[in-house]
Amino acid sequence: MELLKDKKIFEEIFELKAAFKKLFINISNNFPQQRLIEIYPESKGCKVSIGNELNHCPYQVLDIFRNFDKTHGFNIRVLNWWGHGLFVFVFFGKEQSEKILKNDRDQIFLEKGYLLPRGKSPFDYGNFYREVKNSKNSSMNANDYLSKFNYLLFAKELVVKGSPVNIEGEVLEELERILQFRRI
């Protein structure tokens, strides 16, 4: 019960949550809708979300493109999951995945440290976390993964250090790399 009286811990949590929300908003400002539509015409823009219960831990999310359709979709999700880490997930619906495979873009993602994590859905972060933290990749290649799930999902933990400005720069750099990998 003493924890309930520890105002300082709740203030620190609030400050960190607010800092990541601001960081994600700053990052999203680098991706105006016009730019997103030029890259992916079905883009629904960027969105920052905050939650308190992802396997009992708070989280902040930045979604770019915001199309999770299993046929035509494309989304980049940056997830700051308290007690777990900072992750990037790149989702491609079936048609987008086929283009990625046709142009061997899957290999670029894999060479840059992304994994193809297995789960019950594209949002099974508990399983993804275990695979990414253990650097355990799916035994399936990207073609087999697409055949089984009808989408591709690449995942990577971003190991960042320092101030929010440093974190922002590193996340932006990774997002720009993803957009380069995806170019078809």
Side-chain angles (χ1 to χ4, degrees):
M1 289 303 211
E2 289 301 312
L3 182 61
L4 291 174
K5 296 178 185 176
D6 190 347
K7 182 179 177 185
K8 185 175 184 205
I9 197 166
F10 291 104
E11 288 172 347
E12 288 175 5
I13 290 169
F14 178 81
E15 286 176 23
L16 280 172
K17 285 168 56 175
F20 264 93
K21 179 180 178 184
K22 181 179 179 186
L23 178 114
F24 283 174
I25 289 170
N26 288 346
I27 291 169
S28 71
N29 289 337
N30 287 274
F31 299 96
Q33 181 63 357
Q34 185 57 40
R35 180 179 181 207
L36 296 179
I37 288 173
E38 289 170 7
I39 296 167
Y40 175 66
E42 296 178 47
S43 173
K44 297 175 184 168
C46 295
K47 182 177 180 181
V48 175
S49 305
I50 296 174
N52 293 316
E53 288 292 326
L54 180 55
N55 290 359
H56 310 293
C57 295
Y59 63 95
Q60 295 81 35
V61 170
L62 166 61
D63 282 315
I64 300 172
F65 299 111
R66 296 179 40 229
N67 188 335
F68 297 98
D69 180 82
K70 286 190 178 177
T71 302
H72 308 286
F74 175 41
N75 188 68
I76 301 171
R77 174 166 282 181
V78 182
L79 168 67
N80 179 52
W81 188 10
W82 288 48
H84 296 79
L86 183 65
F87 303 89
V88 176
F89 297 93
V90 186
F91 170 84
F92 296 103
K94 185 172 180 156
E95 288 181 5
Q96 295 292 318
S97 297
E98 289 168 350
K99 291 177 186 176
I100 293 294
L101 293 173
K102 179 181 173 190
N103 293 303
D104 294 322
R105 299 294 185 206
D106 58 307
Q107 290 307 308
I108 296 171
F109 279 96
L110 298 172
E111 289 167 6
K112 297 298 182 184
Y114 283 83
L115 303 176
L116 290 163
R118 292 180 283 182
K120 296 174 186 160
S121 79
F123 312 104
D124 190 358
Y125 299 115
N127 278 329
F128 301 161
Y129 172 74
R130 285 185 286 283
E131 286 190 33
V132 171
K133 287 306 271 187
N134 295 321
S135 296
K136 184 175 112 183
N137 198 357
S138 165
S139 60
M140 291 182 271
N141 65 36
N143 284 304
D144 293 340
Y145 191 96
L146 178 59
S147 292
K148 180 173 181 170
F149 295 105
N150 287 318
Y151 60 81
L152 288 176
L153 179 71
F154 295 95
K156 179 179 181 178
E157 181 176 14
L158 295 179
V159 180
V160 293
K161 297 178 184 169
S163 71
V165 172
N166 290 348
I167 295 170
E168 182 178 330
E170 290 182 42
V171 172
L172 274 170
E173 198 173 296
E174 188 67 27
L175 294 174
E176 291 295 343
R177 269 194 295 272
I178 291 167
L179 295 177
Q180 290 299 316
F181 300 163
R182 185 209 173 259
R183 288 195 192 268
I184 297 171

